[in-house]
Amino acid sequence: METILEKSSSKVIWSSMKHKYKGSKMTLRIDFEVLQLKEGEGVNAFFARTFTIPNKMKMHGETLTQVESNDLDKVTIDELQGSLLVHE
């Protein structure tokens, strides 16, 4: 709110907000690209993060497409999560 109050016009506010959230978009992209299970993190927490990051990216205007490797063509996300929970 302080950032907005200091600006002189809506154009300056918009430019400032665009600049501020562009960094968030890039940070989210990096977080998504290096996504991996953290030490001591449970499968459910990992899957929650797996869905949270792309949802935030979409909120920032990022367009995501779903790409699967050949090995995962026959496995749904629910089956994968269930299998990982069993191994956990």
Side-chain angles (χ1 to χ4, degrees):
M1 188 62 142
E2 291 175 9
T3 303
I4 293 173
L5 293 175
E6 295 173 0
K7 305 301 181 201
S8 59
S9 69
S10 59
K11 182 177 180 180
V12 175
I13 292 170
W14 180 251
S15 178
S16 174
M17 297 298 280
K18 247 174 98 172
H19 180 71
K20 178 180 179 179
Y21 289 106
K22 183 176 183 181
S24 295
K25 185 176 176 180
M26 287 183 212
T27 301
L28 289 168
R29 167 65 73 181
I30 292 167
D31 288 347
F32 183 72
E33 289 177 358
V34 299
L35 189 62
Q36 61 182 330
L37 192 65
K38 294 179 181 179
E39 184 72 32
E41 182 177 38
V43 171
N44 286 330
F46 172 72
F47 271 82
R49 252 185 338 111
T50 300
F51 289 112
T52 299
I53 294 171
N55 288 339
K56 287 181 181 178
M57 292 169 71
K58 289 177 186 176
M59 287 174 31
H60 287 288
E62 186 83 19
T63 303
L64 302 171
T65 57
Q66 185 173 349
V67 179
E68 296 179 0
S69 71
N70 292 336
D71 296 336
L72 296 177
D73 282 342
K74 298 176 184 171
V75 177
T76 67
I77 194 76
D78 293 330
E79 291 170 332
L80 176 61
Q81 184 176 7
S83 176
L84 291 172
L85 280 169
V86 168
H87 289 287
E88 182 182 48

